[in-house]
Amino acid sequence: MSDRTLITILHVDDNETNRYVVSRMLRKEGYKVQEAATGETGLQLVAQQPPDLIILDVQLPDINGFEVCHRLKANPATSSIPVLHLSASFVESKDKAQGLESGADGYLAQPVEPIELLATVKALLRIREAEESAMALAKEWQTTFNAMKDGVCLLDHRGRILRTNSAMTNLLKKPFGKIEGCFYQEVMHDILGCVEVTPLTRVQETRRRENEELRCGERWFSVTTDPVFDESGVFTGAVYIVADITDRKWASEALRTSEERFRLLLENVKDYAIFFIDPGGRVIRWSIGAERIFGYQEAEILGQSASIIYIPEDLELGADKQELETAVIEGRAENERWYLRKDATRFWASGIVTPLRDETGQLRGFSKIMRDFTERKQVEDERNQLLVAEQEARTAAESANRMKDEFLATLSHELRSPLNAMLGWVQLLNTRKFDEATTARAMETIERSARAQAQLVEDLLDVSRIIQGKLRLNVRPIELALVVEAAVDTVRPAADAKAIRLQSVVDPAAGPVAGDSDRLQQIIWNLLSNAIKFTPKEGRVQVRLERINSHVEITVIDTGLGINSDFVPYVFDRFRQADSSITRSYSGLGLGLAIVRHLVELHGGTVRAESQGEGQGATFIVKLPLMPVRMETSEGQRVHPTVGRGVSFNNPPSLDGLQILVVDDEVDSRVFVTTLLEQCGASVCAVGSADSAIEAIKILKPDVLLSDIGMPGEDGYTLIRRVRALNVEEGGRTPAVALTAYARAEDRMRAIAAGFQMHIPKPVEPSELATIVASLAGRTGIHEV
């Protein structure tokens, strides 16, 4: 102890002078001193606050110093306090011997030199400090020793037990007192069932640790022996450790069994894909079922990102990372989605992702179990589609039934209203006399009502023919300009009655179409009547006829009520009216536009309606295919002054023996051109696409190719390039004519540049077409323009 002010020394002596002298010397050296004149007083002071050292006189008035020292050493609480006898009476050797035997740590005789007394005090204090340090170290070592869960013995070189920890005494179920000094083989026999367990001779020879595992009944032990050598390398003993590893062994066995079962599971369960992912998302284990379902072998998938199995759409949404995050937060993640196989095919699967953690809760990876449910998904989708179809069919049936009821109510109203006027006037005319003006007005009303009923009946008959497929067309070449003008003349009185300005913009050279004149006039008349009907007074209705490439367009535009955007897709449906209520402002059955659509489609055309909304007017556009060949106009038809007279077809050139290939996607055009050429004696093959044309050229080797330009998929330019890419034997130098409605100069230049010998704009005169075909067929090689 370096700080002497912290050291307390108790001086017990009945001689006051001696106490004074000794205490003065000690205090001078910096020690704290307590004094007592009797043995009992000294014992009391020690009991109250134990000093660091006691200087004890032998001759005391109540108890002699030897007895006081004996009591102090016999008490465990005070046995470690150093005691120094200091006596002036008992100074012989036998007295010193008695004092030391009573337990004193030192003995001095009075008078004593100060230097000797202080040196002895210091020596005793140093000894006590060393003992306390050793005891503290031993206590710490024993505490650590006892903290070990395994049983530990310290053996000497012969195998006797020198020290054990509490775990060993608990294992042996004996106190240390009954173990100390025993040979380890003897005390271990009851536990390990054998005498020689890792003998000292073995570790002494090998000079290294020896370890073995022993099974004793249902318990397992790990026995380890570490040799101990002194500084010179001489064997002095060993550390003998016995650990009960029963739980670990059974856990290991259970783990091995579990792993074996799991291995069998991975190798035999083929309906499930089972695989493991590390925390970074890479595959670290892959089952046979996963190989079968995904197509990846384990060797090629290990180390790759598990994202490889997700479809691109889900990867863009980050579904792969979200799934792992959900598993970490919620303990599992379940889903059903599309996945990707190695061959890029998709399949529908249900999957569960579970996080894997160690004993400390640290994330070690994930397991994923999946099953292919593609067939079930397809069945569900088919069932849902059938359900949707059934619901749509039911809705359509309910709508049709509702429309039928509305139509019957409308039909009853439309028939009864004129009939009421007719019957009323007839009864009045039969029972009363009217003046000439009233009678004339009555007859006009009866006639108008009868005509309205006749038109209703005619519309119903047309719809019936359409539904039954019995509506027939008398097809012949028609100049639409005349048809439009006739329809305009028919509806003009109705327009004038409402002060509606009726305009017609007609291109007389729009070209002929193949159709039924009466039905075409019915189309235009219905559209114009509809426009006038829904256009308010002083409004405007315009009809335009113009040629656009290979088609003719008839456009009817009005400034009337317009069409609600929701109703535009249904405007051509039968019995469908925007307002079918009994409070509607306009009469009719809702059949006119349905008849228009069907008649247009019978002519190979299309019709569509456009409107910016209610109050914004409406536009109806009819598109009809142009005839590829211009026909002569009969003498009875009106011809616009700008339309030239055709060339006579009475003496066409002979095309006998020629094989002609006609390519056109429009059926009517193909049939017409085929008929024309066959009338001249040619053998004609007609196809509707570029692919069919290439196959026909290779097989037939035609003398002339006659092709349209505007076709879906591959146009005429692409076709002629493919033809020219063929070798001579396959027909690559077949003469070719472009017969098209694209009639601009740049269209002609493009056709010639692509590989055609001739470019003929539609419509073409029959004689001209036959002459050009004959000319090309009579030449050899490619005709140069």
Side-chain angles (χ1 to χ4, degrees):
M1 299 181 181
S2 58
D3 190 354
R4 294 178 182 176
T5 60
L6 299 178
I7 299 175
T8 300
I9 298 176
L10 174 62
H11 184 201
V12 183
D13 195 333
D14 61 335
N15 188 310
E16 183 176 354
T17 302
N18 288 341
R19 289 202 312 273
Y20 172 77
V21 173
V22 171
S23 297
R24 185 171 179 272
M25 285 189 295
L26 295 173
R27 289 190 179 100
K28 187 176 180 180
E29 288 294 318
Y31 297 110
K32 183 178 178 181
V33 181
Q34 291 180 324
E35 297 180 10
T38 66
E40 289 291 344
T41 303
L43 290 174
Q44 292 175 2
L45 290 175
V46 171
Q48 293 173 4
Q49 182 65 44
D52 296 294
L53 184 141
I54 300 173
I55 298 177
L56 181 62
D57 187 18
V58 175
Q59 185 68 41
L60 295 174
D62 53 350
I63 309 173
N64 66 43
F66 297 137
E67 180 62 23
V68 172
C69 181
H70 177 73
R71 291 185 184 183
L72 289 173
K73 295 299 182 179
N75 186 356
T78 58
S79 62
S80 62
I81 301 175
V83 176
L84 173 62
H85 279 307
L86 184 63
S87 177
S89 302
F90 298 91
V91 295
E92 296 181 3
S93 296
K94 63 178 182 176
D95 298 323
K96 293 180 181 180
Q98 184 180 357
L100 294 175
E101 288 178 356
S102 66
D105 298 284
Y107 201 104
L108 295 176
Q110 290 276 32
V112 63
E113 291 293 331
I115 189 171
E116 183 182 3
L117 176 63
L118 292 175
T120 303
V121 167
K122 291 177 182 178
L124 293 176
L125 289 173
R126 283 197 303 272
I127 292 172
R128 185 188 181 192
E129 183 177 5
E131 288 178 349
E132 287 179 346
S133 296
M135 290 178 63
L137 182 62
K139 185 176 182 180
E140 290 177 1
W141 185 88
Q142 189 65 41
T143 301
T144 303
F145 199 35
N146 290 332
M148 298 175 65
K149 295 181 179 180
D150 298 333
V152 182
C153 291
L154 180 61
L155 308 178
D156 65 10
H157 67 285
R158 293 185 300 172
R160 294 183 180 275
I161 297 175
L162 301 177
R163 188 184 297 272
T164 66
N165 66 350
S166 57
M168 180 61 82
T169 58
N170 292 334
L171 181 65
L172 298 174
K173 297 180 181 180
K174 294 179 181 180
F176 177 68
K178 292 187 177 182
I179 300 173
E180 185 179 15
C182 296
F183 286 100
Y184 76 96
Q185 296 97 327
E186 297 175 357
V187 297
M188 294 298 169
H189 183 273
D190 293 339
I191 298 175
L192 302 180
C194 53
V195 177
E196 292 191 67
V197 181
T198 316
L200 296 184
T201 53
R202 190 184 307 168
V203 297
Q204 188 173 1
E205 293 172 357
T206 61
R207 302 180 68 84
R208 59 181 175 81
R209 167 179 289 194
E210 294 289 338
N211 175 263
E212 62 180 319
E213 293 181 355
L214 302 173
R215 182 172 182 175
C216 299
E218 295 298 320
R219 301 176 70 186
W220 282 86
F221 294 93
S222 172
V223 180
T224 304
T225 307
D226 286 301
V228 177
F229 302 94
D230 62 12
E231 295 179 355
S232 60
V234 176
F235 177 73
T236 60
V239 177
Y240 186 77
I241 303 173
V242 178
D244 189 337
I245 59 172
T246 304
D247 292 340
R248 190 186 76 189
K249 267 292 185 180
W250 291 125
S252 177
E253 181 65 20
L255 179 61
R256 187 192 65 78
T257 303
S258 175
E259 287 181 347
E260 179 64 19
R261 291 174 179 172
F262 185 69
R263 183 186 64 79
L264 293 174
L265 176 70
L266 292 182
E267 293 179 356
N268 292 279
V269 176
K270 298 181 180 180
D271 291 336
Y272 289 86
I274 305 174
F275 56 96
F276 295 86
I277 310 169
D278 68 12
R282 292 177 295 273
V283 177
I284 57 176
R285 192 84 179 268
W286 194 252
S287 72
I288 296 295
E291 291 183 358
R292 186 186 68 82
I293 293 175
F294 284 100
Y296 292 99
Q297 298 298 313
E298 186 177 32
E300 60 183 328
I301 194 69
L302 292 183
Q304 292 202 48
S305 172
S307 302
I308 195 173
I309 67 175
Y310 289 81
I311 63 176
E313 299 93 306
D314 285 347
L315 288 177
E316 291 180 4
L317 297 175
D320 53 337
K321 296 180 177 60
Q322 291 175 5
E323 191 171 72
L324 299 183
E325 291 173 0
T326 301
V328 171
I329 296 172
E330 300 182 5
R332 65 186 290 159
E334 298 184 40
N335 63 78
E336 284 194 5
R337 58 161 52 96
W338 290 105
Y339 288 93
L340 208 60
R341 292 190 177 93
K342 180 182 178 181
D343 61 4
T345 58
R346 300 187 178 197
F347 69 99
W348 183 266
S350 172
I352 299 177
V353 178
T354 306
L356 304 176
R357 301 182 183 276
D358 60 16
E359 296 82 359
T360 64
Q362 182 71 25
L363 181 67
R364 294 302 183 188
F366 303 88
S367 68
K368 183 158 186 173
I369 303 175
M370 298 172 54
R371 189 170 186 182
D372 186 347
F373 283 133
T374 306
E375 292 184 3
R376 190 193 72 181
K377 174 67 172 174
Q378 292 172 345
V379 171
E380 290 178 354
D381 288 346
E382 290 174 2
R383 185 175 65 237
N384 292 335
Q385 291 172 3
L386 290 174
L387 179 60
V388 171
E390 188 274 336
Q391 291 174 341
E392 291 177 349
R394 179 180 300 176
T395 301
E398 292 173 351
S399 176
N401 190 57
R402 184 174 59 256
M403 289 171 58
K404 179 198 69 176
D405 293 341
E406 293 175 355
F407 169 73
L408 291 175
T410 301
L411 177 61
S412 175
H413 176 272
E414 294 298 319
L415 289 175
R416 288 177 180 274
S417 295
L419 185 61
N420 181 65
M422 293 166 62
L423 289 175
W425 276 113
V426 169
Q427 290 176 354
L428 289 175
L429 289 174
N430 287 333
T431 58
R432 300 182 185 181
K433 296 292 184 179
F434 295 99
D435 57 26
E436 186 177 348
T438 301
T439 301
R441 187 169 69 254
M443 297 304 293
E444 288 177 0
T445 301
I446 292 172
E447 181 182 2
R448 184 169 58 253
S449 298
R451 290 185 182 278
Q453 281 195 329
Q455 183 60 51
L456 289 174
V457 172
E458 187 62 33
D459 285 348
L460 288 172
L461 291 175
D462 280 347
V463 170
S464 176
R465 296 187 192 102
I466 290 171
I467 293 174
Q468 297 179 48
K470 294 181 179 181
L471 188 63
R472 297 291 182 264
L473 301 180
N474 182 20
V475 179
R476 59 190 179 86
I478 301 295
E479 291 290 347
L480 279 178
L482 302 178
V483 177
V484 172
E485 290 175 4
V488 170
D489 291 341
T490 302
V491 300
R492 190 173 296 280
D496 292 341
K498 295 179 66 174
I500 293 174
R501 185 171 54 170
L502 183 61
Q503 299 176 330
S504 61
V505 180
V506 179
D507 178 9
V513 297
D516 186 315
S517 177
D518 293 336
R519 292 302 184 181
L520 289 172
Q521 185 170 334
Q522 183 181 358
I523 292 171
I524 302 170
W525 179 84
N526 273 351
L527 292 177
L528 288 173
S529 297
N530 196 66
I532 293 170
K533 175 181 177 180
F534 291 102
T535 299
K537 291 182 178 181
E538 299 182 354
R540 179 173 61 85
V541 174
Q542 183 186 80
V543 57
R544 291 204 306 260
L545 172 65
E546 55 187 337
R547 172 181 172 178
I548 299 178
N549 294 329
S550 60
H551 296 86
V552 176
E553 285 191 2
I554 304 167
T555 307
V556 177
I557 308 170
D558 66 61
T559 58
L561 297 179
I563 309 171
N564 187 290
S565 59
D566 294 336
F567 188 70
V568 169
Y570 310 105
V571 73
F572 293 105
D573 290 356
R574 290 194 302 270
F575 311 130
R576 182 73 73 112
Q577 292 178 303
D579 183 7
S580 58
S581 66
I582 61 175
T583 60
R584 61 189 182 141
S585 303
Y586 299 93
S587 61
L589 298 178
L591 298 176
L593 293 179
I595 294 172
V596 166
R597 183 184 66 178
H598 192 76
L599 291 176
V600 169
E601 291 175 351
L602 284 177
H603 283 83
T606 59
V607 60
R608 71 177 188 275
E610 297 176 355
S611 178
Q612 297 299 317
E614 296 181 358
Q616 302 294 317
T619 300
F620 290 85
I621 303 170
V622 176
K623 183 185 291 187
L624 297 172
L626 191 67
M627 282 188 63
V629 178
R630 184 182 297 278
M631 302 302 295
E632 291 188 61
T633 305
S634 64
E635 294 297 331
Q637 292 177 318
R638 294 190 301 167
V639 182
H640 194 278
T642 60
V643 179
R645 296 296 298 266
V647 179
S648 173
F649 194 60
N650 293 332
N651 188 25
S654 174
L655 302 179
D656 291 343
L658 293 181
Q659 177 70 57
I660 311 298
L661 176 60
V662 176
V663 186
D664 198 322
D665 63 300
E666 292 185 354
V667 177
D668 292 341
S669 294
R670 289 204 308 269
V671 172
F672 192 86
V673 173
T674 299
T675 302
L676 186 153
L677 295 175
E678 287 178 344
Q679 290 294 317
C680 296
S683 177
V684 182
C685 174
V687 297
S689 66
D691 287 337
S692 298
I694 293 296
E695 293 178 4
I697 288 174
K698 292 180 180 180
I699 296 172
L700 299 177
K701 306 297 189 301
D703 298 293
V704 176
L705 168 65
L706 191 63
S707 175
D708 188 19
I709 291 296
M711 295 185 294
E714 288 186 282
D715 58 20
Y717 299 125
T718 304
L719 170 60
I720 194 61
R721 292 191 189 98
R722 291 177 63 184
V723 171
R724 296 300 177 232
L726 300 175
N727 56 41
V728 176
E729 291 75 14
E730 292 177 323
R733 297 178 65 83
T734 302
V737 179
L739 179 60
T740 175
Y742 294 95
R744 300 173 302 174
E746 52 265 36
D747 295 326
R748 179 177 181 276
M749 294 172 61
R750 185 180 178 187
I752 299 301
F756 287 102
Q757 279 68 52
M758 296 290 291
H759 173 276
I760 305 176
K762 296 178 181 179
V764 63
E765 297 291 344
S767 297
E768 180 184 1
L769 179 60
T771 301
I772 291 173
V773 171
S775 175
L776 284 178
R779 301 181 184 184
T780 58
I782 297 296
H783 178 71
E784 302 295 339
V785 179

